[in-house]
Amino acid sequence: MSNLRNFSAINLEIADIRICLETKTGARFNIRDNYRPFITDKTAELNLALYLRGLPKIDLGKNIFHTHTSDIYSNDGRYIFFYKEYRRLPYLAVITDRSFEDLNLYYRKSFRSDKGVLPLDYPFDEMLWINLLARRAGLLAHACGVKRDNKGYLFMGISGAGKSTIAKLFSDNKKYSILSDDRIAVRKI
């Protein structure tokens, strides 16, 4: 399990947004090392409760979004997100209300990847940060981010456009700091 860290609870601060991720079943979860610089002791404004004992039995309501890997339902002021492996049974259900401040994550009992449970991994992390940033005058960009002299530069592009190559080119120059080679949070301050 190289470059993974094992937790039962953790607080993170990213783009001035503080979240707490905590298991409610006594189990542990992993996060990747790229989240390590964002670990904080500050009080969280958003709580993610992680349940590793199976998906809940709930009335889903109306399906408002569908792909081969995810579904979103709306029911009586709640949103239910289902994530599934391509055309298979869901492995993750996320339930939240319209405020998006308390999220409950439920993993299928039998779901365990070779890296354990990674609640802050794609595609859930992307949905989480897109929603949180949009509510706070921000966005999540598919871009390489570079910093020099307290100024940030974004190089946006689709997969394969060269974002990682740009990051590698700048990494040889000590005047630049690479912020990310894939996704970067941008907020109005």
Side-chain angles (χ1 to χ4, degrees):
M1 286 207 181
S2 63
N3 85 353
L4 298 173
R5 297 290 181 250
N6 192 265
F7 296 93
S8 60
I10 189 171
N11 285 11
L12 299 169
E13 182 175 17
I14 299 174
D16 293 325
I17 300 171
R18 293 181 307 280
I19 66 170
C20 173
L21 180 59
E22 181 177 14
T23 60
K24 299 297 184 181
T25 55
R28 297 180 72 76
F29 60 90
N30 292 315
I31 65 166
R32 296 186 187 279
D33 271 350
N34 56 337
Y35 279 101
R36 190 179 192 108
F38 304 104
I39 295 173
T40 184
D41 291 329
K42 294 179 183 175
T43 304
E45 58 192 89
L46 173 78
N47 297 301
L48 286 81
L50 181 60
Y51 298 88
L52 303 174
R53 293 190 177 151
L55 301 180
K57 292 182 168 78
I58 56 172
D59 180 14
L60 298 174
K62 180 181 178 184
N63 186 302
I64 58 174
F65 180 79
H66 169 77
T67 69
H68 296 299
T69 57
S70 62
D71 286 289
I72 304 173
Y73 296 87
S74 177
N75 184 359
D76 198 27
R78 293 187 306 175
Y79 293 106
I80 300 119
F81 298 80
F82 275 113
Y83 295 96
K84 53 195 171 189
E85 297 159 301
Y86 188 75
R87 295 186 185 265
R88 296 190 179 161
L89 291 173
Y91 65 88
L92 170 62
V94 179
I95 302 172
T96 186
D97 63 12
R98 293 180 197 273
S99 74
F100 216 76
E101 292 175 3
D102 291 298
L103 290 91
N104 294 308
L105 287 70
Y106 298 88
Y107 279 86
R108 190 176 72 221
K109 270 185 187 179
S110 61
F111 176 77
R112 294 290 186 275
S113 75
D114 59 340
K115 296 174 180 74
V117 173
L118 290 162
L120 296 177
D121 232 13
Y122 182 83
F124 171 69
D125 67 328
E126 189 169 276
M127 183 276 302
L128 175 69
W129 293 111
I130 286 171
N131 276 280
L132 294 177
L133 288 162
R135 293 167 186 266
R136 292 166 175 85
L139 61 91
L140 185 66
H142 193 205
C144 166
V146 178
K147 177 183 165 189
R148 180 180 175 175
D149 299 329
N150 245 3
K151 291 184 181 177
Y153 301 91
L154 293 180
F155 299 89
M156 300 176 76
I158 62 172
S159 296
K163 296 179 301 297
S164 296
T165 301
I166 290 171
K168 286 177 188 170
L169 291 170
F170 277 106
S171 68
D172 292 337
N173 188 328
K174 296 189 186 318
K175 294 179 182 179
Y176 294 91
S177 298
I178 307 304
L179 303 173
S180 174
D181 71 346
D182 189 54
R183 289 182 282 168
I184 194 151
V186 179
R187 285 199 56 205
K188 181 179 178 180
I189 53 171

